[in-house]
Amino acid sequence: MRESFAIGGVRIRAGTARAIELPITRLVTGADVTLPVRVVHGREDGPCIWVNAAIHGDEVVGVEVVRQVMAGLDPKTFRGTLVAVPIVNVLGFMTGDRYLPDRRDLNRSFPGSARGSLASRIAYLFMREIVAGCEVGIDLHTGSDRRSNLPQVRADLDDERTRELAAAFGAPVMLHARIRDGSLRHAAREQGAKVLLYEAGEPLRFDDYAVEAGVVGVRRVLATLGMTEPVEELPPEPSLECRSSGWVRARRTGILHLDAHLGQQVADGERLGTLFDSFGKTLRAVYANRDGVVIGRTEAPLVNSGDAVVHIAN
């Protein structure tokens, strides 16, 4: 029998699953705010990984992905340990806000500090209790600011093991993405973890295509790590590997009619949509600025000059 798993001052026996709460802070009412965690500690040996969602409080797709993945796991047949944190930014999630009450971006606050800002303290807690004991992490996100994203994995594809896991996830696109200072991916990599960042769907929406691709992708990674039996849902084709990306920006202010759809292959100079004024007069067409695949687009009909409208990956 494996040793029990220690987290947050409790120990979880092998072959069991348990939900715990890690203290974060208190509301002005005196009510406690806690970080919800569920651990599946398998009966057999295997790797220890984490999966998290809602680092940004308006990104709800990942919460549903975590729920469905956890519902399909049996700790008696599971190999290794999975630590799931469905809502990291609890305060933002309660109000549907991307940021924390002090307007800080939690995903620019890692690795955090025990005596810093609220964002820094949450980041520090997450690194100490979750990341420190894990070797692989899956960070679930959606688009931001009225944008939708094609299901995609962003990762360091120059790292062989990370690339293997990204390919196993099987999203339509895997993008070699630079690491941002202060992000969970950056801080976790500094501690030696392999991290996949999943992007799909819109904020504040349960987009079925984003949830389904996320659930199946996480299951594939678990199977690749030997933690579960191989999954039946094989990807229809290998992920399209992209090495860079960029946004097409509006050249005029107006009402946007966007024809480009997620996953569409486009060529440099191809027409993607049109900007009109309120009477329907054409102001300017929107054109692709590179060859590639559309991995993100704005869902806002009203745009200002300079706004990002279509995200294309090479």
Side-chain angles (χ1 to χ4, degrees), residues 136-158:
V136 173
I138 304 175
D139 185 15
L140 305 172
H141 288 263
T142 72
S144 64
D145 189 27
R146 295 171 294 174
R147 296 173 182 169
S148 59
N149 280 337
L150 178 75
Q152 60 198 264
V153 168
R154 301 180 183 181
D156 178 8
L157 300 183
D158 289 334

Side-chain angles (χ1 to χ4, degrees), residues 10 25 28 38 66 92 110 154 170 174-175 213 222 243 250 257 271:
V10 302
T25 187
V28 294
R38 185 170 180 83
V66 172
F110 287 89
R154 301 180 183 181
M174 56 181 187
L175 175 64
L222 294 177
R243 303 297 298 186
H257 289 255
R271 188 181 184 125

